[in-house]
Amino acid sequence: MRPQLLAAGVCWPGSGPWADSKLAASMFCHIAEDLAPRVSQLRGGLAVLLDVDEHTGNFGGARACLADEAAVRPAGVMIGYPGIDEVVVGGRGLWRAVLTVHAPSGHSGSSRTVVGAISRAAHLVRLLDAAELPGVEAGAEFPLPPKLSVTACHGGEGFSVTPDRCDLNVDVRTTPGFDAHDAETLVRKAAAELDAEMPVQSPTEIRLVAAWPPFQLADAEQPGAALLNAAAEAGLMVRPKTAGPSNIGNLLAGEGIPATAGFGVPYEGLHGIDERAHLAELPTVYAVYQRAVLGLLGD
């Protein structure tokens, strides 16, 4: 059996974030240490990955691990995101691009009227906001609809000049029924509509930044089933969840590696300056992960 992998994203050094996920990092290291003397009794193996590049969204540690041709690829991954009520077994994917809108530059005080890049970009935002996305079909296994958001706008400087370019960040959360191809088609259609309605010499440019597939583990699929069963055996009422936000599980899904992406201690103030975690539940969470790993490795 190929190894399982326990993974945690960690910001280091610094005082936080303890909930997401220094506690998971410490816990996973202790689980590996506790199981090391019993390795001859186990089928397969266990690896721990601590990725200090997780909060940037780059996942440099995970990418380097997957790119290492000498390393054995894991059969499954359990990621230590916090929250004790749910085991995250899926998530929407994403399609992200930077759209560069062009226009002639000009002086804001000139008698010549210039429709600047920011004005054209604003019209493009309206087109994107008005774009129709499918909902969740009745009976669909994937419970969430796609979503489009314009998350950044950069253009211009000062007051006197209307700029010749403006950049928009577009984030589309994808589903099995509305994938990366559909997202790109929708965005390109909006850009073409802008260029037709407000023509300029240079068409709108679209630069792809990232595209991750959605994922969702089946009810009996590992490692989700092992973690849910271990939680139930510990007396916890835990439900499987497909999350709206994307996570490292999507990156792994693109590599064909199944993953859970959330079960841990209760928390408050996640990603805030007052982020904090409940330590009282840590022994229970530890025992659940250890039980799940032992179940997967045939103890």
Side-chain angles (χ1 to χ4, degrees):
M1 181 179 181
R2 287 183 294 156
Q4 304 293 319
L5 180 67
L6 296 172
V10 186
C11 287
W12 203 280
S15 59
W18 288 105
D20 183 20
S21 301
K22 283 185 178 178
L23 282 175
S26 176
M27 179 176 62
F28 290 168
C29 288
H30 280 283
I31 289 174
E33 182 181 27
D34 289 347
L35 295 185
R38 305 162 61 177
V39 66
S40 61
Q41 306 168 24
L42 304 177
R43 293 183 290 108
L46 178 69
V48 177
L49 170 66
L50 307 180
D51 193 341
V52 297
D53 197 25
E54 188 265 351
H55 273 253
T56 67
N58 294 324
F59 302 108
R63 291 181 187 276
C65 181
L66 294 173
D68 186 354
E69 296 181 358
V72 178
R73 291 175 67 83
V77 176
M78 289 182 284
I79 305 163
Y81 292 132
I84 202 166
D85 297 323
E86 300 162 336
V87 171
V88 176
V89 296
R92 284 189 290 204
L94 60 81
W95 182 89
R96 289 174 175 166
V98 176
L99 278 57
T100 300
V101 178
H102 299 280
S105 62
H107 196 288
S108 60
S110 173
S111 58
R112 174 173 171 263
T113 300
V114 173
V115 179
I118 293 176
S119 296
R120 295 188 77 242
H123 185 63
L124 179 54
V125 171
R126 288 192 291 270
L127 293 172
L128 291 169
D129 285 344
E132 292 188 9
L133 297 171
V136 178
E137 295 183 4
E141 294 184 0
F142 199 86
L144 299 170
K147 181 181 180 182
L148 185 151
S149 304
V150 179
T151 57
C153 179
H154 304 282
E157 184 176 354
F159 292 90
S160 299
V161 177
T162 56
D164 61 357
R165 66 176 287 168
C166 183
D167 295 323
L168 300 175
N169 288 4
V170 177
D171 178 284
V172 184
R173 299 305 168 112
T174 59
T175 67
F178 188 87
D179 60 15
H181 173 75
D182 298 316
E184 182 174 356
T185 299
L186 183 149
V187 171
R188 289 193 178 278
K189 179 181 177 182
E193 188 174 344
L194 168 72
D195 292 339
E197 292 180 5
M198 306 174 69
V200 294
Q201 185 174 0
S202 299
T204 300
E205 300 173 19
I206 300 175
R207 178 173 62 85
L208 178 65
V209 174
W212 293 353
F215 78 101
Q216 186 177 43
L217 301 185
D219 290 344
E221 191 173 355
Q222 301 292 10
L227 194 53
L228 285 163
N229 290 338
E233 291 171 2
L236 298 177
M237 297 293 292
V238 178
R239 60 186 179 274
K241 177 185 178 181
T242 298
S246 305
N247 54 65
I248 192 174
N250 299 88
L251 172 65
L252 295 166
E255 297 284 338
I257 300 171
T260 60
F263 172 74
V265 294
Y267 62 89
E268 296 177 61
L270 196 67
H271 293 180
I273 59 173
D274 61 344
E275 177 177 309
R276 52 209 182 275
H278 294 216
L279 298 181
E281 290 84 357
L282 183 58
T284 300
V285 173
Y286 180 97
V288 168
Y289 271 108
Q290 187 177 59
R291 186 190 297 263
V293 169
L294 288 173
L296 288 165
L297 298 183
D299 184 52

